[in-house]
Amino acid sequence: MQKIINNPDNLVDEMVEGFLLVHNNIVAGTDNPRVIKYKDAPVNDKVGIVTGGGSGHKPAFIGYAGEGMADAVAIGEIFTSPSANSFYDAFHAADSGKGVACLYGNFSGDVMNVKMARELAEEDQTNVKTVIANDDVPSSPKNNRENRRGSAGEILMWKVGGARAALGGDLDEVIASAQKAIDNTRSVGIGLSACTIPSVGKPNFSIEPGKMEIGIGHHGEPGMETVELKTADEIASLSLDVILPDYPFSKGDEVVALISGLGATPLIEQYVYYRKVAEILKSKGISVYRSFVGNYFTSLEMKGVSLTLMKVDEELKELIDYPTDAVYFKQQS
Amino acid sequence: MQKIINNPDNLVDEMVEGFLLVHNNIVAGTDNPRVIKYKDAPVNDKVGIVTGGGSGHKPAFIGYAGEGMADAVAIGEIFTSPSANSFYDAFHAADSGKGVACLYGNFSGDVMNVKMARELAEEDQTNVKTVIANDDVPSSPKNNRENRRGSAGEILMWKVGGARAALGGDLDEVIASAQKAIDNTRSVGIGLSACTIPSVGKPNFSIEPGKMEIGIGHHGEPGMETVELKTADEIASLSLDVILPDYPFSKGDEVVALISGLGATPLIEQYVYYRKVAEILKSKGISVYRSFVGNYFTSLEMKGVSLTLMKVDEELKELIDYPTDAVYFKQQS
């Protein structure tokens, strides 16, 4: 296992320690070692934004803490939900009294723990509402959209919800904007190689050389099909075949596009892939309002990419454009 | 070869095309397809900052174009120097009449092509001066420092030179600050696995599972020694053993630390590694003024990290802190 680690049992704690040392101009620790917060949280008279999830997706989730995005983040073990207690502590770290929007992904552990955390929060009159991201198209048929997993679309949900909160929205308004963001968003992942959970020591699935998996999940969940590895242009086309008809995105639409490498995919390949995505969208009369390319939501050292599109209207454009100073999401205009 | 590419011959052109589509709020193309520039370059009454190098190190080099860093960047093939003509065109794209500081790394191809580009520039009275980064400690003994390669320390050189230019420094002042930055900087790379140049189709070197290479170069150049893979803490300690005595950094010094993943190293491992680097520095009475952790200077999908330390004084601290809005280096304060 070619990894730069110590005892896997201490991996997440040591990672958080390093993270806080580097980024102490933006984030701070809390009494719970599995909760970090924006250093100025709770922000007076602002709805608190909370998220959380398993580790191994860096910069998600902790990298999105900061001004204009998440106020507090609950941290799980590798590919494992944070505890209910950590979500609960994150609510308190984020709440200025105006309520908390917990914006997270649809994974059974996270759903269960957020539910328990909300029950704890009700007892002390902390007002928490949630949006559950389910943008990962291949994970369930369209008539079962509520069963779909969250994917890199979560980043756009945090961006939109965070901006609405920063602009003074109340809890219902923040929830409505974040829900609209994720309802307008579709993602698909393409896997070219597996990853290894450090405590396990070997990959828990495999992709043969020369093959790729369309629709792979962020934890290596099996996709729609395994096919011969294709060219970047063909992969871009196949990716769009999955998500365009699902929303559906169509001529005249404006979209935000987010391409994320899954960990070991060089940026050079991500740009080559995006080039073709942009070309196909243009040919279909769909215009790209803004695009993001980089390692935004990873799966340890998996090779592959995810493609996320969000249809935008004037409201979503304003919120996407709003300045942000999170650790891994900085936007000045 | 598990890569998302089309014809390898078109890889760099397609990458540049995608890059310009995504980041057109910061950068723009030029008449030379192998030169990109900060969209507002040349900036009136400011020394132009130029760099350049082979592709495959993303976000280096093109990701460091933007306000406060590079004005124009020459682009080579994978692991290959840009042409003399591209460096020359980059000089023109950056020059407002106040001269150009070409800040680049010590690789024979780059040195030769920059030299030829300067000769061309002399003919039309473009004033170009250079700083050649040689921060990679293991690449040559200390008494042959001028033979050492450039490494991730180049990023700090661009940051410092770029800030001095933005603050109104003349060409000699920009060169002096950039030279001071690199003279105060030492780097070492640790490799855990190799990478594959797309046009070659297989790794041009190998690191056996269970081994690691101390002192590896950014193109897989052999390091000082191949040893058993150690823990993150031990690797941090070994890395510091290479660079601390070389400068030497000692008790009472203040440093900027930059950890870069080499491509396929999850951020989680980079933070675990940095945590120990910080602990050892503290124990030696060396204080970290600022730190950077992430994929700043990669080698395609190589696994491993590089550690860079720069000793800072009041001047270098001011220049490192200066706001920057490059594509991959954004700093608001």
Side-chain angles (χ1 to χ4, degrees):
Chain A
M1 187 170 49
Q2 297 298 88
K3 287 184 184 287
I4 301 174
I5 56 172
N6 298 303
N7 182 340
D9 291 345
N10 304 329
L11 180 57
V12 174
D13 289 335
E14 292 177 350
M15 178 270 292
V16 172
E17 207 180 308
F19 180 83
L20 291 173
L21 280 172
V22 176
H23 304 295
N24 57 21
N25 56 332
I26 297 181
V27 289
T30 68
D31 291 341
N32 180 335
R34 294 303 173 91
V35 176
I36 64 107
K37 64 168 203 145
Y38 168 43
K39 71 178 166 51
D40 295 337
V43 179
N44 262 346
D45 200 33
K46 189 186 83 72
V47 169
I49 305 289
V50 166
T51 190
S55 296
H57 304 295
K58 298 272 110 21
F61 296 81
I62 56 176
Y64 297 102
E67 197 176 352
M69 285 188 89
D71 293 287
V73 181
I75 302 162
E77 285 293 314
I78 304 287
F79 292 174
T80 304
S81 171
S83 69
N85 191 51
S86 292
F87 275 114
Y88 173 76
D89 287 344
F91 297 161
H92 276 282
D95 189 23
S96 70
K98 219 176 158 181
V100 171
C102 180
L103 313 177
Y104 69 105
N106 191 26
F107 296 90
S108 54
D110 300 278
V111 172
M112 181 187 74
N113 285 305
V114 169
K115 183 168 178 283
M116 288 196 290
R118 283 184 74 181
E119 288 165 6
L120 290 170
E122 268 173 32
E123 288 172 22
D124 52 18
Q125 270 85 48
T126 306
N127 193 11
V128 180
K129 296 190 175 181
T130 62
V131 177
I132 306 180
N134 57 350
D135 53 305
D136 190 20
V137 170
S139 56
S140 193
K142 192 172 180 177
N143 58 7
N144 263 317
R145 242 192 86 214
E146 68 279 9
N147 288 341
R148 287 180 177 171
R149 298 183 295 254
S151 183
E154 294 184 42
I155 293 159
L156 302 177
M157 170 179 71
W158 302 325
K159 178 73 193 74
V160 164
R164 173 59 70 213
L167 283 163
D170 67 23
L171 182 54
D172 285 335
E173 290 167 335
V174 171
I175 291 291
S177 295
Q179 186 70 56
K180 180 180 181 178
I182 208 69
D183 284 345
N184 283 16
T185 297
R186 297 292 185 276
S187 297
V188 60
I190 309 287
L192 272 67
S193 78
C195 60
T196 297
I197 298 175
S199 61
V200 176
K202 56 177 198 233
N204 55 344
F205 68 104
S206 71
I207 299 170
E208 300 295 316
K211 304 279 185 185
M212 66 179 195
E213 197 158 326
I214 303 171
I216 198 163
H218 265 133
H219 312 96
E221 295 93 338
M224 301 159 70
E225 53 175 339
T226 302
V227 298
E228 297 294 314
L229 179 59
K230 299 191 182 342
T231 66
D233 285 0
E234 290 166 333
I235 298 171
S237 178
L238 277 170
S239 309
L240 286 167
D241 286 348
V242 174
I243 61 178
L244 288 183
D246 189 85
Y247 179 70
F249 299 92
S250 48
K251 192 173 175 176
D253 284 352
E254 271 188 294
V255 297
V256 165
L258 186 149
I259 279 73
S260 179
L262 297 185
T265 311
L267 276 174
I268 195 167
E269 298 176 30
Q270 299 177 38
Y271 284 116
V272 168
Y273 172 84
Y274 176 67
R275 170 193 159 276
K276 188 66 181 182
V277 167
E279 185 184 301
I280 296 172
L281 289 174
K282 191 174 180 187
S283 76
K284 291 183 181 293
I286 298 168
S287 63
V288 177
Y289 179 68
R290 227 183 224 276
S291 53
F292 302 93
V293 172
N295 292 332
Y296 282 94
F297 202 119
T298 66
S299 301
L300 295 169
E301 71 284 354
M302 207 185 286
K303 268 195 182 176
V305 288
S306 64
L307 169 63
T308 298
L309 295 181
M310 175 171 75
K311 180 176 169 179
V312 290
D313 57 10
E314 293 310 308
E315 182 199 359
L316 291 176
K317 286 197 271 189
E318 181 196 359
L319 298 173
I320 283 289
D321 287 347
Y322 192 79
T324 311
D325 189 27
V327 174
Y328 276 91
F329 201 117
K330 293 181 189 300
Q331 191 166 279
Q332 296 181 24
S333 61
Chain B
M1 187 171 49
Q2 297 299 87
K3 287 183 184 289
I4 301 174
I5 56 171
N6 299 303
N7 182 340
D9 291 345
N10 304 329
L11 180 57
V12 174
D13 289 335
E14 291 176 351
M15 177 271 291
V16 172
E17 207 180 307
F19 179 82
L20 290 173
L21 280 171
V22 176
H23 304 294
N24 57 22
N25 56 332
I26 297 181
V27 288
T30 69
D31 290 341
N32 181 335
R34 293 304 173 89
V35 176
I36 64 108
K37 64 168 202 143
Y38 168 42
K39 70 179 167 50
D40 295 336
V43 179
N44 262 348
D45 201 33
K46 188 186 84 72
V47 169
I49 304 289
V50 165
T51 189
S55 295
H57 304 295
K58 299 272 111 19
F61 296 82
I62 56 176
Y64 297 101
E67 197 175 355
M69 286 188 89
D71 293 287
V73 181
I75 302 162
E77 285 294 314
I78 304 285
F79 293 175
T80 304
S81 171
S83 69
N85 191 52
S86 292
F87 275 114
Y88 173 75
D89 287 344
F91 297 161
H92 275 282
D95 187 24
S96 71
K98 217 174 159 182
V100 170
C102 181
L103 313 177
Y104 69 105
N106 191 25
F107 295 90
S108 54
D110 299 277
V111 172
M112 179 187 75
N113 285 305
V114 168
K115 182 168 179 284
M116 288 196 290
R118 285 184 75 180
E119 288 165 7
L120 290 170
E122 267 172 32
E123 289 172 22
D124 51 18
Q125 270 85 49
T126 306
N127 193 12
V128 179
K129 295 190 175 180
T130 63
V131 178
I132 305 180
N134 57 350
D135 52 305
D136 191 21
V137 171
S139 55
S140 192
K142 191 171 181 179
N143 58 6
N144 263 318
R145 240 192 87 215
E146 68 278 9
N147 288 341
R148 287 180 177 172
R149 298 183 294 253
S151 182
E154 295 185 41
I155 293 159
L156 302 177
M157 170 179 71
W158 302 326
K159 177 73 193 75
V160 164
R164 174 58 72 215
L167 283 163
D170 66 24
L171 182 54
D172 285 335
E173 289 168 337
V174 170
I175 291 292
S177 294
Q179 187 70 56
K180 180 179 181 180
I182 207 69
D183 284 345
N184 281 17
T185 297
R186 296 294 185 274
S187 297
V188 60
I190 308 286
L192 272 68
S193 77
C195 60
T196 297
I197 299 175
S199 61
V200 176
K202 56 177 199 227
N204 55 343
F205 69 104
S206 71
I207 298 169
E208 299 296 315
K211 303 280 185 185
M212 65 179 195
E213 197 157 325
I214 303 172
I216 197 163
H218 265 133
H219 312 95
E221 295 93 338
M224 302 158 70
E225 54 175 340
T226 301
V227 299
E228 297 293 316
L229 178 59
K230 299 190 181 348
T231 66
D233 285 0
E234 290 166 333
I235 298 172
S237 177
L238 277 171
S239 310
L240 285 166
D241 285 349
V242 174
I243 63 179
L244 288 183
D246 189 86
Y247 179 70
F249 300 92
S250 47
K251 192 175 175 174
D253 284 352
E254 271 187 293
V255 297
V256 165
L258 186 149
I259 279 74
S260 178
L262 297 186
T265 311
L267 276 174
I268 195 167
E269 298 176 31
Q270 299 176 39
Y271 284 116
V272 167
Y273 172 83
Y274 176 66
R275 170 192 157 275
K276 188 66 181 182
V277 167
E279 185 184 302
I280 295 172
L281 289 175
K282 191 174 180 186
S283 76
K284 291 183 182 293
I286 298 168
S287 63
V288 177
Y289 178 68
R290 226 182 224 276
S291 53
F292 302 93
V293 173
N295 292 331
Y296 282 95
F297 202 119
T298 66
S299 302
L300 295 169
E301 70 285 354
M302 207 185 284
K303 268 195 182 175
V305 288
S306 64
L307 169 64
T308 298
L309 295 181
M310 174 172 76
K311 180 176 170 178
V312 290
D313 58 9
E314 293 310 308
E315 181 199 2
L316 291 177
K317 287 197 270 189
E318 180 196 358
L319 298 173
I320 283 289
D321 288 346
Y322 192 79
T324 311
D325 189 27
V327 174
Y328 276 90
F329 201 117
K330 294 181 188 301
Q331 191 165 276
Q332 295 181 24
S333 62

